[in-house]
Structures are given as C-alpha cells and as structure tokens.
Amino acid sequence: MPLLSLKRVCVVGVVVLAAGVCGSVRAQDLASFEKRTTVKVLANGLTLIVCERPEAPVFSFYTEVDTGSADDPQGATGLAHMFEHMAFKGTTEIGTTNYPAEKVALAKVEVAYAAYDAEFRKRVGKDAAKLASLKKSFADAQAAAEKYVIPNQFSEIAEQNGAVGINASTSEDSTQYFWSMPSNRFELWAYLESQRIGHPVEREFYKERDVVQEERRMRVDSSPVGRMLEEFLATAYVAHPYGRPGTGWESDISQVTATEAEAFHKKYYVPANMVIAVVGDVKASTAMPVLEKYFASIPAGPKPEPMTTVEPKQTAEKFVVLHDASQPFYLEGYHKPDYRDPDDAVYDAITDIFSNGRTARLYRSLVRDQRIAQTAQGFSGLPGEKFPGMFAFYAVPLPGHTDDEIRVAIGKEVDRLKNEEVSDAELDRYKTRAKADMLRGLADNDGLAHSLAEYQTRFGDWRQMFRDLDKIDKVTKADIKRVANKTFVDSNRTTARIETVAATPAPVSAGGAK
Amino acid sequence: MKNPSMKLFVLGFVAPLTVSVALAQAVPAHAAASQPWKRIAIPPLHEFKPVQPRRVELANGLIVLLEEDHELPFISGRIVIRGGSRDEPAAKVGLASLYGQTWRTSGTAKVSGDALDDLLDAKAATVETGGGQATSSVSWSSLKGDFDTVFGITTQLLLHPDFKQDKLQLAKRRTEASIARRNDDASGIAGREATQLVYGADSPYGRETEFATIEAVGLDDLKAWHEKTVTPNNMIVAVSGDFDSAAMEAKLRTAFEPLPKGAPFQTLKASFPGPKPGVYLAEKTDVDQSNVYIVGLGTTEDNPDYYALDVMNQVFSGGFGSRVVQNVRTKLGLAYDVGGSFGASYDHPGMFYVGAGTKSESTVEATKAMMAEIGRLKTVPPTPDELRKAKEQVLNSFVFNYDSPEKVLGEQVTLAFFGYPTDFLERYRVGIDKVTSADVARVANKYIDESKLATVVVGNAAQFNPPLSSLGKVTTLDITIPPMPKK
C-alpha cells in the first residue's frame, strides 16, 4: 500500500564499533579497515580513497563534490542540480562526432540565446517580429550544434560495460555521482569519470532544461507534500540558501544558460573540492597508479570560498497553511546547529528515540495508542546538515483526525522530552542500534563508498566514521534534556500544514523563455 | 551524522534513469574519431563462482535453503508461505495485507507484540511479518549471538500466533489512511488505473482495496488464513549469514520436522483478456504534469520467447541509450521520468507498459511519441549496433545477479517457489546470448498489437494542447473513492 512520499526516515547513521554489540567484530573494526583503506591526495588537490573488499569481482564508486544547491548563485537557483544532469551529456571526447566544430557551434548557440533572451526580457519596446526571428536563430543554432552530438554516449559506454545503478543526486550540501561495475572495467571507469569531471561539455543544455522543469513539476508542483515543503523552507529561512528549492524556482531554471553552467563548473568542480571513493575488488597498489594516470591531469583550482551567510536566530514563531485539494499533513521544524556541533550525536539520539521502529515514542503515542496518525516521526537535518538545518517532526493524520490533534500530540511528546529524562532502555537502544546499523552497512560496496566519501569530505578523515562511536557512547540522558530545552522552543518553530479544500484548477504557470 | 537517504527524500533529485540504447542515431562514419575508451584494455573478469545454497527438503515437504556468509556477525532468515492477496475473497480485498500487519504486532501466545518490540529493539534485532500478492512471510535478523532467542521468537510467532482485535483495528485504520490518500499521488493513480485496465477491476491482479473490503475482514478471517496457509509443504525457509550449515540444518530440523504436512495451497486460475482498447482520462486539476501510461498484457518468464522479448525491452527502454529515453527524454525533452517494459511474471502474464510524466500541454505529443516508438519496434528491427549494445548491457552486468550471498539465496527462493529450474539464471544468460535481430522483430510482431493497447492519462485536461480527444474517443475514469460504509 503506497504511503506518502515522505518515506520512513531511517535513523542512525554511521557510527561504529567498539564496545558491546559484539565481541566478534572481526575484520570490521577501525584497525582492519586501516589495513585495506588507502587515501591519496593528488598534487591537483583531488582526494582518492580505495577500500579493498574482494568478495566478488565488482566495485562501486562514489564521487562527492562538496557543492550543492545551497551554492546556487542568486537568480540561478537549480544550477547545481542542472549541472548534475549535464554531467551525463558527455565530454570533449565522448558524445561528439567532431568536438572542434561542435565547440564553435555551441558558442554560436550561446550568442543566439543571449540575443533572444535580451529581447524577450525587454520591459518596453519588445518587438514581436524581432523576437520571433531571434527565436528562430536560436533554434537554428541549436540544430546546427546537435549535428555533432552522439546522444547519451557517456551513459551508454558505461551501460554496455556492465554498469548498474548509474545515477547522481544533488542535495543542498553536495552533489554525488555513483554506479557499480565489474572490476575488469576499473580503468575504463577511471577514464570516464575523470573525463566528465575534468572535461564536460554543455551540449543539449536547453533541452535538458526542459527535462529538469519536468522533474520540478513531478517533485514539487504536482505533489501536495512537495508544494508544502517548498513553502515551509521558504518560510523557515530568511537569509540562508536553505530556504530556496534545490530544483530551483521555475523562472530561474527557465533562464539559466550553458555559459553559467560552465562558470559554475569552473568554480566548484575543482579537484580540491572533490573526494572519490572506490570500494570492491580493487587493490590499492595497482588501482592508485591507474587513478593517478587519469585524474592527475585535471587542472588544479582554488577551493571555493566558504559561504558566509548565517541564518539569523529566529525570534518569531511562523506558520504556513496550504489550502489544498489533498489530505491533511502536518510538519513542524526547529533550527539546529550543523553536523560539526558537539551535540550532533544528541540530535541523533532524539531522532532514534522519537522515530526508530515500534518502540519509538511518536509511533507509540500517535500511531499505536491515540490512533490519530498513520505515520509520525522526528528527524534531524532538513534540508541539510552542512549548514544549520532543522529538526523536524511530521505526521500523516488518519481519516477523521486533524492537523491540530497532531500538533497537540507532538507538542506533548516534545514537552515530555524537555521535562523528563529518557529511560535507560531508550538510551541503550539508541547506542546498540547505532552500532549494529553501522556494522550492517559495511557489507555493501556502494553504501561503504558513500560513507567513506562523505566522512572524508565532512571531516577530512574517513576514520571519523568509526570514531563517531565515541560521540554516541558519551550521550547522556541529561544531554538529551538539555538539547531539547535549547532547541524546541516556540520562537524557534515553523509549522506547516495542509488543510483540505475542494479541488480548483491549477494556476497556469507564468513567464519564462520557452 | 545521519541518514543520507533523508536528503534524497527532501530534495531527491536523483537523476533518474529509470530506464533506457541508442536509436542508432546514425553516427557518420568519420565520427568514429579517436574513441580513446576503446583502447583501454579490459582484462578477463576474476574467476568467481558464487556458492549455491545448501538445499534440504524435509519429509513433511518443507524446503530449506542455507547460505553461509561469514563477512559480518549477523544471521538473517525468511520464511515464505504460499498464498497472498491474489487468493483472498473479493469481498475481503486487503485481508492478506491486514494479516501480515496484524500477525507480528499481535505477538505470540506467550509474549505480546508490544513486549516483542521492546525485546527485539534492545538487541537491534527484527522479526517482521508481511502479506504480498502471492505469499506472506516471516523474516528475522539479528547478531549471531542472539540467533537462538530471535529464531525462538520467530518460530513461536509462526506456530503460536495470537491475533488480537486491537492490532487488527490499528492495521485497518492505517490502511484506511492509505485509501483516503490514494488520489493525492498522480503517478500512483495512473499506475493503479493502468493495472485495473490490463487485468480487470475484478481480477485478483487488478482489484483495489476499499474501505468496505477492509471493514469486512474480521479476526476469524486472519486465523482461518493462518490455519490454511501455514503448513510445511507450503513454505520455504531461507537462512543466510555467519553460521555453520550442518549446525543450522540441525536447528531447523528440530524446529520444523515435527510439523504435520497439510493440504497443498492452490491458487485459482485467473483469465487474462487484456485491456479494453481506448483512451482513458482521470482528471486531476491540481497538477501541471500528466502521467501517461500505454498498457497491454505482457508474458511469463517460462515463455520460450522470453529472451527475445527481454532483448527487445533493452532496445526499447533498457537504459540511457534505449529508444524511448533517447527520443522522448533526450531528443524531445518531453519527460524526466520515462520508461517501459514488456513485463514478465513467473506464473501469470506481466504487464506491457510504456509511461512518462510530461507537462500538461505536451500530453498528446508525448503520447504520440511513445506510440510511435511502440510501432517502430515492429517496423524497425534492432540494428546490429542496437542489438550488440542491448546484449552487452545484459551480459556485462550479469555478475550483479549474484555478487552477494543474499542475492544468490533470494534468486533460489524465487525459483523454488515458482517451480523453475535452479540454473534458470545460467539458462537466461545463454538464451540472451543467442537472440538475433530477426528474433526481436519476430516477437515484436507476434506480441505487440497496438489495437489491443489502452492509454491512461492522469492530468489537468484544461491545460492539454491539443485536447486528448485528438487521440480518439476518450473514456473518463471515475476515481472517486467509495466512502466508508455507514457503521
């Protein structure tokens, strides 16, 4: 039975080892990982991690770029995500029948688009005939450039060589590329990945823009919870880019150019801003030289300057109400610090205690006992963790129950957390499960590649993945109470809800270059 | 630091690729350019022979499959039981699902479900039950040191369940929420309506769970279902993890050998007439994107033409280079999510579908583009290049069918359940290898008949340009949710 698109939040992350869980952790502790994990930083600044796990003749990779939607330039929201799509469009060697000629043709597309766009955006004196003519010139220039395109060749090469799970994603914090392949294609992969990172070509850009608009329609415009989430974040944040949609505003996407995408690449896709992790049937001694052969030639560049905008302290409680032709939905969020905060593991503990499984407080109170919600959870890091994000609670009301009942019920649980210490059993459960989950995650090339790249990016050392265990072990009942009292206060809260109304026709979207 | 998966839910811009080979966009000969990737050596793949599970059949008919995996100190298992939603009475659609939800939450004769929650969570272990289309199941997982305790709970649950009224009510209420919300998700509506058209609204494979059919299910129904299905000759037990097979076999024999054989479970034969052809519209005024599905009846995996059909699928929609992705997404920019498949199931016909999400205005254009690709399957056989790419894609990624012990075990459970030969995967590899372009053309013409397809559109008709009627007579689908019966 399909639930809503708010999926069950899986809780704990990665944290490991040590005490308790099992004496027989075997080859799964930090010491054993150090033996089979090698890190190398190339002269151009690129960080490479190779982790040997020769269980089957396959490997997975995870390329993490430390740049996400939060880095979108003002007026060009959605650009990081747009660029992620473009990274599948090929390179100067892949996807083209004649790159030198294509390059000239693509430059003409940019000139033609700029001329068309300038006329299109004129406030006064727009000349319809001229606009039509410029639009035709733009279309002709695109057609001329397309003659050189071998569509989807990059992905095709990967697929024909047995790649599975080819994909990428853009979050607020980072952009990641990943797939798995038979291990005899390791060198081929190194070629492909180094090409797309170092030498992408912004071909078929304006068609892909349409595809991205389609993605926005699917995820946001045509989804009740998507619409609500967009309004929620736009309300909760006044200064920080976390308040903007990662897919971008429709008008922003509709005017972004290949020239801007190239500039974005030049600034953010520098080797110093990336970590690539490879896990599987690979030997560091033979793999590193191959990696070096392909990745070392990518030109160095300065690591992009850190974002300086800090979301100011929220001083007024905020409310968002969507009058929508869909069923009720309730969400509330509180600003919290980023992942480097000393209390990070305390927030994880709260997530676990509120949301993990049938012993979780929200399940027991709202779902099992009061029977007012189908699902109810609390979790950390909406919409991101690199910068101060939010701790959010949401619930899906059962038929006949209201968002108000949900609000009151969640409020009671939050108050309880602020006023009473959690039980020993709850705290122990969190620690035990966090360790077991970490262990379970180690038997999986792609999950492991993801964790290694992410920890290396965030902490500058993948070993933190194991050391986080100490942070977890140190969480106390008093910590939880203290953090709850610090975070869950009225003036720090934004609430969003869907109130059901009869269906009305959707507004026809306005503007934008077509 | 937490769940990476969260990001995907929040912003989830996973770039998709659900589907997709190249339309042999005739690359000019001079284009071969340098193609440096072709000069990269591909060494032979390391020798790798996955260990097949140990199979034991008890005298009472129970099949046991054991797969050792010593990498991590965990043991997981699954008991698959014949009988699922396709076997429940029409007036009680939802029974199998409610059974699966209520079974575990109710608990055993000795320990209540709530107490089990505490007990298991404290060990980071799980025991779960569920009801599916053809089966119900009990699964468990724990650190190996907790195996005896957790397996003990599992067998108690299997042999001495204690279905409780309050837990059935809880499951009913949660199911009702899904029913009440089912029209909030446009692609969900399209998938549901498409399935109903293909199999029939009254078919065991197409019918919908409604408030009334949920209400009709009582505690006695769950108990009767359990009595009927849980017998050793209707079950397969599969265990994987850090154990010694001989010792594990002994434990399972002790637990299951005493069970008396029961009546074999029979699934009723259903008929599969396929959809009534035509264009169907479900109106949804709060969206700016249409979900379009073109659907018909698919086939079964034991069809000798399955291999050729599977290669056809690759050419048609098997990856980024496939025809529909190349044309509908990349060339026309009409969709983000586009795909399709001539589907095959193990013991009944699967569904043939081609679908996309496209902006309201381009609904008709996208539908025509997909229909044109369906037609081209019959008139334009795969070029040598398309055929090669399609087969390479299947064969070069073949190792991912068995690159972990869980996958090897899962495959054998499925094959055993549906009575397929244990070397089906290897036969598949050989079968795919032999497929020719003429085979694909032959099966395309044999199995695809555009006049037998139905087109389902969920969208905001006022925004369509041109209107849907330009595709033919439009039948409006009533997606109103039948209200709850008066108590």
Side-chain angles (χ1 to χ4, degrees):
Chain A
M1 193 132 301
L3 296 183
L4 296 195
S5 57
L6 270 183
K7 288 185 190 124
R8 195 182 124 52
V9 178
C10 73
V11 188
V12 207
V14 208
V15 207
V16 143
L17 182 159
V21 164
C22 44
S24 62
V25 265
R26 258 182 252 208
Q28 305 303 342
D29 56 8
L30 177 53
S32 82
F33 256 80
E34 291 200 301
K35 281 190 200 132
R36 50 196 180 96
T37 305
T38 308
V39 178
K40 180 159 190 170
V41 180
L42 301 182
N44 61 12
L46 181 68
T47 302
L48 300 167
I49 306 175
V50 173
C51 176
E52 301 175 4
R53 185 174 171 270
E55 310 290 319
V58 296
F59 74 97
S60 303
F61 80 92
Y62 195 89
T63 297
E64 177 151 338
V65 185
D66 194 10
T67 287
S69 304
D71 298 300
D72 286 340
Q74 192 59 36
T77 55
L79 188 53
H81 173 232
M82 186 73 215
F83 186 83
E84 173 231 302
H85 276 241
M86 295 309 296
F88 289 86
K89 289 288 180 187
T91 72
T92 52
E93 294 178 354
I94 303 168
T96 184
T97 58
N98 180 346
Y99 182 64
E102 186 187 16
K103 188 178 180 185
V104 174
L106 285 171
K108 287 179 183 164
V109 171
E110 290 308 284
V111 172
Y113 182 72
Y116 162 73
D117 198 51
E119 187 66 26
F120 178 78
R121 289 177 199 285
K122 269 190 183 167
R123 289 181 167 272
V124 290
K126 195 185 319 196
D127 180 334
K130 190 178 171 194
L131 187 67
S133 153
L134 290 169
K135 190 173 185 180
K136 182 171 183 309
S137 301
F138 171 49
D140 292 346
Q142 282 181 283
E146 274 165 29
K147 283 190 200 133
Y148 304 103
V149 176
I150 307 174
N152 293 331
Q153 191 177 35
F154 179 87
S155 308
E156 266 193 60
I157 297 170
E159 282 171 344
Q160 284 159 37
N161 282 283
V164 297
I166 302 180
N167 220 326
S169 67
T170 309
S171 72
E172 291 291 323
D173 298 343
S174 60
T175 310
Q176 35 275 323
Y177 302 87
F178 43 91
W179 73 61
S180 302
M181 238 178 175
S183 53
N184 58 343
R185 264 74 178 181
F186 179 76
E187 182 169 356
L188 177 76
W189 163 75
Y191 165 78
L192 291 171
E193 191 67 358
S194 62
Q195 273 278 310
R196 94 158 138 193
I197 284 171
H199 314 285
V201 174
E202 304 302 298
R203 57 173 64 95
E204 298 180 296
F205 184 88
Y206 299 93
K207 265 185 206 159
E208 197 62 24
R209 226 170 57 173
D210 292 343
V211 171
V212 168
Q213 290 283 33
E214 222 47 91
E215 188 178 354
R216 185 189 150 82
R217 286 183 194 102
M218 179 179 92
R219 296 194 193 280
V220 182
D221 301 333
S222 297
S223 156
V225 174
R227 295 191 285 257
M228 187 191 78
L229 208 49
E230 190 166 281
E231 294 286 2
F232 171 80
L233 292 171
T235 304
Y237 285 90
V238 296
H240 194 273
Y242 272 179
R244 310 177 310 189
T247 38
W249 302 112
E250 191 204 2
S251 65
D252 280 6
I253 307 170
S254 73
Q255 58 80 52
V256 73
T257 66
T259 305
E260 287 171 280
E262 267 172 20
F264 188 84
H265 174 262
K266 196 169 171 70
K267 178 173 178 186
Y268 290 108
Y269 279 62
V270 293
N273 205 32
M274 285 185 261
V275 173
I276 302 176
V278 181
V279 180
D281 178 30
V282 286
K283 277 206 173 352
S285 56
T286 50
M288 276 299 178
V290 173
L291 293 174
E292 186 139 12
K293 174 178 168 189
Y294 290 99
F295 288 97
S297 62
I298 299 173
K303 189 163 165 76
E305 72 280 7
M307 178 175 314
T308 49
T309 300
V310 176
E311 180 68 18
K313 184 180 163 69
Q314 181 176 337
T315 54
E317 186 174 4
K318 304 180 203 181
F319 301 90
V320 173
V321 180
L322 267 79
H323 299 285
D324 200 292
S326 60
Q327 294 298 302
F329 194 98
Y330 181 84
L331 169 71
E332 67 179 41
Y334 302 83
H335 292 280
K336 66 173 274 290
D338 69 42
Y339 74 93
R340 298 165 306 166
D341 190 81
D343 286 327
D344 195 49
V346 182
Y347 286 103
D348 285 352
I350 296 173
T351 299
D352 186 79
I353 290 165
F354 268 78
S355 311
N356 197 352
R358 288 198 202 88
T359 49
R361 289 188 173 188
L362 291 181
Y363 174 85
R364 287 205 156 161
S365 67
L366 276 72
V367 178
R368 185 189 75 179
D369 296 340
Q370 297 178 60
R371 297 225 189 124
I372 58 173
Q374 184 195 45
T375 309
Q377 304 210 314
F379 64 94
S380 193
L382 176 72
E385 308 180 307
K386 187 167 156 187
F387 306 104
M390 310 196 83
F391 196 101
F393 299 92
Y394 75 91
V396 178
L398 286 180
H401 292 278
T402 63
D403 291 327
D404 259 328
E405 291 172 79
I406 300 288
R407 179 182 58 75
V408 170
I410 289 176
K412 274 187 189 158
E413 288 303 320
V414 171
D415 284 344
R416 201 177 130 211
L417 196 70
K418 289 161 75 173
N419 297 327
E420 300 166 24
E421 288 191 337
V422 301
S423 69
D424 290 327
E426 286 176 308
L427 189 59
D428 288 348
R429 213 152 50 205
Y430 157 61
K431 295 180 180 182
T432 304
R433 294 197 290 201
K435 289 165 203 167
D437 285 0
M438 157 86 183
L439 268 185
R440 285 190 157 100
L442 300 180
D444 170 10
N445 290 344
D446 50 351
L448 196 48
H450 177 168
S451 296
L452 291 169
E454 188 160 287
Y455 272 89
Q456 186 74 28
T457 302
R458 293 189 174 184
F459 297 95
D461 188 353
W462 60 269
R463 291 170 188 81
Q464 186 64 34
M465 171 177 156
F466 290 84
R467 290 175 188 148
D468 261 6
L469 182 67
D470 299 337
K471 288 202 266 174
I472 286 185
D473 262 348
K474 284 182 186 140
V475 173
T476 66
K477 294 190 272 187
D479 285 333
I480 291 173
K481 197 172 163 189
R482 171 180 56 78
V483 167
N485 277 285
K486 182 178 84 173
T487 310
F488 304 133
V489 297
D490 293 356
S491 61
N492 189 31
R493 181 169 57 220
T494 303
T495 295
R497 59 171 72 191
I498 294 176
E499 286 187 0
T500 311
V501 296
T504 49
V508 177
S509 66
K514 295 277 168 186
Chain B
M1 206 150 73
K2 13 319 0 210
N3 43 355
S5 64
M6 200 54 226
K7 285 185 228 156
L8 298 187
F9 126 66
V10 183
L11 300 171
F13 306 137
V14 177
L17 334 192
T18 359
V19 253
S20 204
V21 172
L23 209 211
Q25 278 272 142
V27 176
H30 72 265
S34 61
Q35 305 203 329
W37 59 92
K38 294 203 166 155
R39 297 196 295 272
I40 296 173
I42 311 263
L45 201 58
H46 293 166
E47 191 62 35
F48 178 60
K49 194 89 182 139
V51 177
Q52 289 299 319
R54 169 169 173 149
R55 181 190 163 109
V56 180
E57 188 163 344
L58 305 191
N60 58 16
L62 181 80
I63 295 170
V64 173
L65 295 167
L66 303 175
E67 181 88 13
E68 292 186 28
D69 174 8
H70 300 286
E71 188 180 9
L72 292 172
F74 293 101
I75 298 175
S76 302
R78 186 173 167 80
I79 303 169
V80 180
I81 305 156
R82 284 181 200 281
S85 63
R86 65 182 181 180
D87 305 301
E88 62 201 9
K92 298 185 176 184
V93 174
L95 193 166
S97 166
L98 291 171
Y99 167 73
Q101 294 176 63
T102 309
W103 188 358
R104 163 64 178 80
T105 52
S106 293
T108 74
K110 279 187 192 156
V111 188
S112 77
D114 293 349
L116 284 180
D117 295 339
D118 286 320
L119 214 155
L120 293 165
D121 275 2
K123 295 179 180 299
T126 56
V127 174
E128 290 298 330
T129 56
Q133 187 187 61
T135 61
S136 58
S137 66
V138 188
S139 54
W140 76 93
S141 179
S142 73
L143 284 156
K144 72 171 180 178
D146 293 324
F147 174 81
D148 288 340
T149 307
V150 174
F151 180 63
I153 290 170
T154 303
T155 50
Q156 282 294 313
L157 197 60
L158 185 76
L159 304 176
H160 308 288
D162 185 25
F163 295 99
K164 291 198 175 90
Q165 190 61 41
D166 64 324
K167 296 304 184 190
L168 174 59
Q169 281 307 117
L170 175 63
K172 282 188 179 185
R173 295 294 286 139
R174 297 183 82 188
T175 306
E176 285 165 6
S178 295
I179 296 171
R181 289 170 184 274
R182 72 185 182 205
N183 285 347
D184 288 357
D185 168 16
S187 72
I189 300 170
R192 192 169 73 232
E193 295 300 325
T195 306
Q196 290 201 3
L197 277 165
V198 170
Y199 292 109
D202 296 327
S203 153
Y205 297 89
R207 61 199 180 189
E208 195 55 43
T209 306
E210 302 292 356
F211 291 123
T213 64
I214 289 290
E215 190 55 38
V217 176
L219 213 51
D220 289 345
D221 293 309
L222 306 190
K223 290 175 184 168
W225 183 270
H226 189 85
E227 282 299 312
K228 184 179 171 190
T229 57
V230 178
T231 64
N233 44 320
N234 286 329
M235 307 194 303
I236 297 174
V237 179
V239 190
S240 67
D242 192 10
F243 56 76
D244 170 75
S245 287
M248 182 58 72
E249 183 185 328
K251 284 185 183 183
L252 297 183
R253 280 188 183 277
T254 306
F256 297 123
E257 253 172 357
L259 305 184
K261 201 166 185 164
F265 191 90
Q266 297 290 348
T267 286
L268 293 178
K269 287 260 177 283
S271 61
F272 299 92
K276 186 164 174 281
V279 179
Y280 298 85
L281 169 69
E283 268 271 21
K284 191 157 168 58
T285 55
D286 66 335
V287 300
D288 61 359
Q289 185 181 59
S290 295
N291 280 269
V292 182
Y293 277 93
I294 304 172
V295 293
L297 218 48
T299 188
T300 53
E301 296 213 14
D302 56 1
N303 180 345
D305 287 333
Y306 169 61
Y307 308 115
L309 285 164
D310 213 45
V311 172
M312 179 187 86
N313 277 336
Q314 290 294 324
V315 172
F316 185 63
S317 60
F320 262 113
S322 68
R323 291 181 177 184
V324 289
V325 176
Q326 283 282 22
N327 288 334
V328 180
R329 174 170 164 156
T330 306
K331 196 165 155 204
L332 298 173
L334 284 173
Y336 163 73
D337 194 4
V338 56
S341 167
F342 195 87
S345 297
Y346 286 94
D347 69 350
H348 66 279
M351 188 176 6
F352 173 45
Y353 82 95
V354 186
T358 190
K359 62 183 177 295
S360 301
E361 302 93 87
S362 54
T363 301
V364 168
E365 188 188 356
T367 307
K368 285 184 172 169
M370 290 191 285
M371 201 54 104
E373 288 305 325
I374 294 172
R376 269 167 34 82
L377 273 177
K378 297 162 67 174
T379 56
V380 186
T383 63
D385 208 35
E386 281 184 308
L387 186 74
R388 179 184 56 78
K389 289 174 182 173
K391 288 162 73 169
E392 281 183 354
Q393 195 174 330
V394 173
L395 299 175
N396 287 333
S397 63
F398 205 75
V399 62
F400 289 103
N401 286 303
Y402 47 74
D403 64 321
S404 74
E406 301 80 60
K407 283 189 197 170
V408 174
L409 183 61
E411 170 80 7
Q412 288 306 324
V413 169
T414 302
L415 296 177
F417 185 86
F418 290 107
Y420 277 58
T422 54
D423 64 347
F424 185 70
L425 206 51
E426 190 49 39
R427 292 185 198 200
Y428 172 77
R429 186 214 295 262
V430 173
I432 293 291
D433 204 28
K434 284 185 184 153
V435 172
T436 66
S437 180
D439 291 333
V440 175
R442 178 180 59 77
V443 298
N445 281 283
K446 180 173 172 185
Y447 293 95
I448 296 176
D449 181 350
E450 290 104 311
S451 73
K452 290 184 175 169
L453 301 178
T455 300
V456 186
V457 177
V458 177
N460 196 346
Q463 297 175 354
F464 298 172
N465 185 21
L468 207 53
S469 54
S470 55
L471 293 173
K473 183 173 167 295
V474 177
T475 306
T476 303
L477 294 168
D478 181 8
I479 59 169
T480 312
I481 300 165
M484 289 200 205
K486 296 246 159 42
K487 301 253 164 108

